[in-house]
Amino acid sequence: MNTAAQLTARIAAGEYDRLFTRLYGADSVARQRKRYTEAISAFVATFGRDDDLYLFSAPGRTEIGGNHTDHNHGRVLAGSVNLDVIAVAAYSAENRIRIQSKGYPMDVIDCGALDPVDEEANHSASLIRGMVSRFQQEGYAFGGFDAYTTSDVLKGSGLSSSAAFEVLTGTILNHLYNQGEISAVEIAKAAQYAENVYFGKPSGLMDQMASSVGGIITIDFQDVENPAIRSVHTDFTSSGYHLCIVDTGGNHADLTHEYASVPEEMKAIARFFGADYLREISVNQVLEHIDSLRRSHGDRAVLRALHFFSENSRVEQQVAALESGDFDAFKRLVIESGHSSFEYLQNVYTTSDVRFQGLSLALCIAQSQLRDCGAWRVHGGGFGGTTQNFVPAEKIDAFRAAMEQVFGEGSCYDLSIRPWGGISLEQKLRELDA
């Protein structure tokens, strides 16, 4: 049993340092000691209890390939990153969940009232309630707990803060009530359910899967109930390139309709052929009936469908390039993906207010900085938020300076891939000791 004082002493004594090094990098150990210690103190101050505490973490994710393919049962390439949501949590005998996230009002969920609540849509409370509801439906154990969370996965950053929060909630329930026996895949499915049904965002499964499973993975969603997941064995650090995410400051909060239009239009093309998803048809079918499709669904829907087929194929090529160590081929494919997203998928800016095109500007600057030596593309859902860039080590300082001159200090994140998804830190330490 860990009291607050015992946990704090263990962190100060360096017992978690090797885990922090694997999760965040050696240069971040001191910062993480401070971060976790402050979270423990905040838990005690918030809930007035200091016994039987546990530490949890769930990472943000970076989409490396497969932009807007998952919701039509396509392929993706993704990785968990060293920015995460952490929690200090403790079992509660009361049948309620209380989560205090730093900087936000406390969420309180009655575990006996799990129907969706209209007023909670688009708020974190809906994600908690949705996760518990899914646990109930699947026959998993669940119950009350108290948790204090803090996140460095910024909202709207394109790194999927909502997926990290969902996976964190599921990971806590898994370890407090199910002995950690629920698979990462099942937690990801529960997280997608919570986001789709309770939060109200029609996301695919990639974000949740990358956060829950961890590492660099490729996923084929052709059979969405049993997606084919495998680890991709590559080492970005040895390539000589930095993975940089640039936050352009766009706000995703009012863009749900823009995100929803992408899967809606893709599925409309599929329905023309009597299918539910584009993965069930071929690009040749679309090309053979393109005149009818243009008349019935418009050019944008057709272009988005054509993006799907090229992007879905490109994921396999990216995986092959990485696993063979051909980083030049990988960079070329990243740039191709970015062009397809900008020109055909059309998710770089919203047409509702064309004055604001931060992503377009960031891509323009990246191209001028990285032409013939790096790669750049829109990152994540698009319409605002972030770009993804692969920057040669010798260019990193100049690249960061160019981006932060436009988008502000701290807008350029130099990230690393972490090896695990949602975890109990105590369990992971035990595994490392085994």
Side-chain angles (χ1 to χ4, degrees), residues 7-8 11-12 19-20 23-25 28-43 55-60 81-88 102 148-154 164 168 418 425:
L7 264 184
T8 300
I11 291 172
L19 187 53
F20 290 160
L23 291 172
Y24 308 106
S28 188
V29 169
R31 176 178 175 270
Q32 298 304 327
R33 282 188 180 188
K34 183 173 184 289
R35 182 182 179 216
Y36 278 85
T37 299
E38 289 177 348
I40 293 167
S41 297
F43 177 94
L55 304 177
F56 299 91
S57 164
V81 298
N82 58 325
L83 299 180
D84 63 349
V85 188
I86 66 170
V88 181
K102 183 179 180 180
Y148 181 90
T149 80
T150 181
S151 175
D152 55 16
V153 187
L154 300 179
L168 183 73
R418 84 179 218 171
L425 271 66

Side-chain angles (χ1 to χ4, degrees), residues 38 63 102-103 138 166 168 177 247 257 300 317 336 382 425 428:
E38 289 177 348
E63 170 209 279
K102 183 179 180 180
E138 295 299 316
E166 295 152 13
L168 183 73
Y177 287 95
D247 184 358
H257 66 289
R300 189 176 73 170
Q317 299 172 57
E336 285 182 11
L425 271 66
K428 189 57 65 178

Side-chain angles (χ1 to χ4, degrees), residues 203-251:
S203 70
L205 187 54
M206 180 189 68
D207 295 352
Q208 292 81 4
M209 198 72 79
S211 178
S212 189
V213 174
I216 298 178
I217 57 173
T218 184
I219 313 168
D220 189 335
F221 290 109
Q222 186 166 29
D223 179 357
V224 74
E225 291 302 316
N226 297 285
I229 307 166
R230 74 176 181 87
S231 296
V232 176
H233 301 291
T234 188
D235 182 7
F236 277 155
T237 58
S238 66
S239 70
Y241 285 81
H242 291 246
L243 168 60
C244 294
I245 302 297
V246 174
D247 184 358
T248 66
N251 188 344

Side-chain angles (χ1 to χ4, degrees), residues 54 60 74 76 78 102 153 160 173 186 240 278 287 314 345 350 364 375 418-419:
Y54 296 90
V76 300
K102 183 179 180 180
V153 187
S160 294
L173 288 168
E186 291 305 314
L278 286 178
L287 294 173
R314 196 157 27 241
L345 182 62
T350 173
C364 179
R418 84 179 218 171

Side-chain angles (χ1 to χ4, degrees), residues 87-110:
V88 181
Y91 166 84
S92 172
E94 298 189 40
N95 198 35
R96 69 181 180 191
I97 293 172
R98 298 186 296 177
I99 297 182
Q100 176 65 66
S101 297
K102 183 179 180 180
Y104 295 92
M106 183 184 294
D107 292 315
V108 182
I109 302 300
D110 181 352

